[in-house]
Amino acid sequence: MQDHITPRRVVILGGGFAGLFAARALRKSPVAVTVVDRHAHHLFQPLLYQCASGILSEGQIAQPLRAVLRRHHNVRCVLAEATDVDADARLVHARRPGGGVVQLPYDDLIVAVGMRQSYFGHDEFAAHAPGMKTLDDALDIRRRIYRAFEMAETAANDRERKRWLTFALVGGGPTGVELAGQIREIAGHTLDREFRRLDPAHARVLLFEGSDAVLGGFGPALAHRAARSLQHLGVELHLGTRVTDIDAHGLTVRDRDGRTTRFGARTVLWTAGVEAPPIAAALARATGAEQDRAGRILVEPDLTVPGRPEIRVTGDVMSLDGLPGLAEVAMQSGAYAGRSVRHAVEGRTKKPKPFKYVDLGSAAYIARGRAVVKAGPVHLTGFTGWLAWLFIHLAFLTGFRSRLGAVLGWSVAFATSSRRERACTMTDTEVPAARAVGPKTSPPS
Amino acid sequence: MQDHITPRRVVILGGGFAGLFAARALRKSPVAVTVVDRHAHHLFQPLLYQCASGILSEGQIAQPLRAVLRRHHNVRCVLAEATDVDADARLVHARRPGGGVVQLPYDDLIVAVGMRQSYFGHDEFAAHAPGMKTLDDALDIRRRIYRAFEMAETAANDRERKRWLTFALVGGGPTGVELAGQIREIAGHTLDREFRRLDPAHARVLLFEGSDAVLGGFGPALAHRAARSLQHLGVELHLGTRVTDIDAHGLTVRDRDGRTTRFGARTVLWTAGVEAPPIAAALARATGAEQDRAGRILVEPDLTVPGRPEIRVTGDVMSLDGLPGLAEVAMQSGAYAGRSVRHAVEGRTKKPKPFKYVDLGSAAYIARGRAVVKAGPVHLTGFTGWLAWLFIHLAFLTGFRSRLGAVLGWSVAFATSSRRERACTMTDTEVPAARAVGPKTSPPS
């Protein structure tokens, strides 16, 4: 029974898909929801690569959390980074951007902090090879891609020019594949006739992947088709390779036979792995919960932390039955957690059914007119896959007022190969120090 | 007579309005044009404040220079910052972003480097009060405006909350007035119902101006109407004041009677003055040209530097008959310089007519439905002025493929008060060091 004077306090850590869907599920409950995020916006992460490649603007893939939740009168948004949980006192400690601490007492805690880029212990790679998890990452990558062509145009010699025209992507999951396709399209179409001393179409795109296949999660048949599409686009695949070193001028990889090869490349982008932000470890310490190798929290079938029925973990940072880190899993688990709290508030005593993920399919965009889509037994590739991709993304962007703008951006990009959002700063020569150590000091919360 | 083997080399420093119009005027000439800019984009500066306030995206006000000039087959774009001119050897020295030097020999030099923000000798103000000259400035201001409300929401006490909700603008020219109007609109409309612990409409906007009037350049009648519009919007005008100190918590101003007053304000924006970038002084040293107090180069009536008929200065950095630093002056002087070179290439020996600026009018946007427009004897204010503003800007954006997007952004902003491009990073707590010393070390070129 809720107390009618102070409503039950639900603190949601993270305003991504999981956090947003949890908050929405509580819309009509007499609870006081606090959504804590270190970013003020909700990010439509599946389209982040399109922001990086200049098709969409930041505003088209990110909306202020409090604008999205404006009509949710029981929700308060707090811009802060969760740093610790006191599970006995039921208190979250968070840090405000400019310094200063916020303490948030809760009756229910929903953890939806997501994952961040992992460099597998090589955090020094981050300075040379940005990841693709935040809006800042996307803008940094946008700058690096377009600046590379500018630098190639004024290169002092052929060797330097070739290095600027070589792009290396580490990681053959959807993000790496999508970025590789984007760079080849930019080189082959977008920049057509813009340069006088080089042909952008000569740009090399190298994709390094540790396993035997790109898009391994889509199964062997689709992975094979995706690899063929990429090769057709001119992407050079290096499967079964591990990156052993990255610096400002290139990277070194080792293949399965132990041979190491050095590749000159002034642009290296990293999408190879993820790890849980430090707040996950803090939660594990506070509750005795177990973490998997990447730091995800192992949860019960009802998404609660063992022995702490008031704490639920959702989205990418949740470890349950090997569910993948997909937007759809985040949405469904977030909504499940929100509903569970609502049922508890409503006084339902029946034990809830375990969380069951309904696989609505997954999609990866390779290039204009090419995508792979997997929905249960249905496998789509090529142009059919691309149409399905378009339909799915239009449907999911519905909640966004930016849909019209996105359609406009896509129309321009697909019809003319030009990109409306190429503007970026070219003056920075290196990643700012704060970014370089980002993965260590600024976890998402 | 041009040499048919190596065409006459025209180097244009700067890709703003003046540089772009100079390049366009040379489109059909048998010359080799090189446009040098430290930014890769051409910026539609009159709408920069709308990018800062979240109405337009970067791509809607900035387009890659080389995309704009793609069909100008005699134009080459170079991303570099001009650092020196050797007038005898006819050589420009420029620095590439990552280091490295480019040397550009010229037969004709067109200087169109624009002006940068001036802090009147107080460069230390820059860290606390960003200017509004570049795309970076606009994104920094966007971040500061929206973050201020976020910080106010979690402020520890009323005093801190008030400081976060107080915005100080230094400079009552068009940019200061436009920003003041934008912040009041954001506070009063855009953020409506988004906060739980504060009412954004309570935000104070203070506008400090050294002279007796805002928009003094528009004449006393329009200036008076503009002041009334601003006051109606809730902007507090402090005329006849000089800023003597700025820190992270506020600013100190002195009025004409010598009284100093301290205002608490966590957001201070600076639009008070401009100065020439260092390349102007280098040019003056190299040619013996005179500079005015702000560093502009004094030119002959045909825009050439005295004694150097092959060097022309155009746009904001040109000093001629007290012409103001307006986009229209830049366009006309740039086009004039380009035409002069074309005529010389064509072998016309007649001395060109002096440059004559045709005043097509100027406009300043105050708020939704309010603008002031001055076109010769025609003075427009209020809604009529706003319609004229809309028409003028639509007409001038024509060259931009982004016009449709801008119209979309405006429709949303004007019809619903919401802003599509609010997404920005909130994590930075201070201006990066590189930005803070920006006015000293990174002049536009």
Side-chain angles (χ1 to χ4, degrees), chain A residues 181-220:
Chain A
Q182 290 290 305
I183 297 174
R184 279 300 305 159
E185 283 202 339
I186 288 169
H189 300 286
T190 307
L191 299 180
D192 188 35
R193 284 177 297 149
E194 290 192 10
F195 290 84
R196 306 290 178 247
R197 305 214 164 164
L198 61 90
D199 183 352
H202 291 160
R204 288 178 69 192
V205 178
L206 319 173
L207 182 59
F208 298 93
E209 161 62 32
S211 78
D212 282 335
V214 294
L215 298 184
F218 285 75

Side-chain angles (χ1 to χ4, degrees), chain A residues 57-59 66 70 72 75-76 96-97 136 150-151 154 190 194 196-197 401 418 421 425 429, chain B residues 57-59 66 70 72 75-76 96-97 136 150-151 154 190 192 194 196-197 401 418 421 425 429:
Chain A
S57 72
E58 301 100 283
R66 54 178 80 252
R70 170 187 280 179
H72 291 241
V75 175
R76 179 181 173 228
R96 297 167 71 215
D136 271 342
E150 297 286 341
M151 297 305 285
T154 54
T190 307
E194 290 192 10
R196 306 290 178 247
R197 305 214 164 164
R401 240 173 314 188
S418 73
E421 296 288 342
T425 307
T429 54
Chain B
S57 72
E58 300 100 284
R66 54 178 81 253
R70 169 186 282 179
H72 291 240
V75 176
R76 180 182 173 226
R96 298 166 71 216
D136 271 342
E150 297 287 341
M151 296 305 285
T154 53
T190 307
D192 187 36
E194 289 192 9
R196 306 291 177 246
R197 303 215 165 161
R401 238 171 318 187
S418 73
E421 294 290 340
T425 308
T429 55

Side-chain angles (χ1 to χ4, degrees), chain A residues 198-253:
Chain A
L198 61 90
D199 183 352
H202 291 160
R204 288 178 69 192
V205 178
L206 319 173
L207 182 59
F208 298 93
E209 161 62 32
S211 78
D212 282 335
V214 294
L215 298 184
F218 285 75
L222 284 183
H224 182 68
R225 293 292 294 269
R228 267 187 26 210
S229 284
L230 283 170
Q231 281 164 334
H232 182 81
L233 259 181
V235 175
E236 301 170 33
L237 296 183
H238 296 268
L239 304 175
T241 55
R242 260 175 203 290
V243 172
T244 57
D245 191 39
I246 306 181
D247 58 39
H249 296 270
L251 74 174
T252 308
V253 303

Side-chain angles (χ1 to χ4, degrees), chain A residues 8 50 99 103 209 268 270 307 347 353 440:
Chain A
R8 186 153 162 169
Q50 293 206 356
Q103 293 197 329
E209 161 62 32
V268 184
W270 184 277
K353 285 183 192 165
K440 262 197 172 137

Side-chain angles (χ1 to χ4, degrees), chain A residues 7 82 87 92 94 105 129 155 175 217 226 245 254 404:
Chain A
V92 170
T175 307
D245 191 39
R254 188 165 53 220
L404 192 54

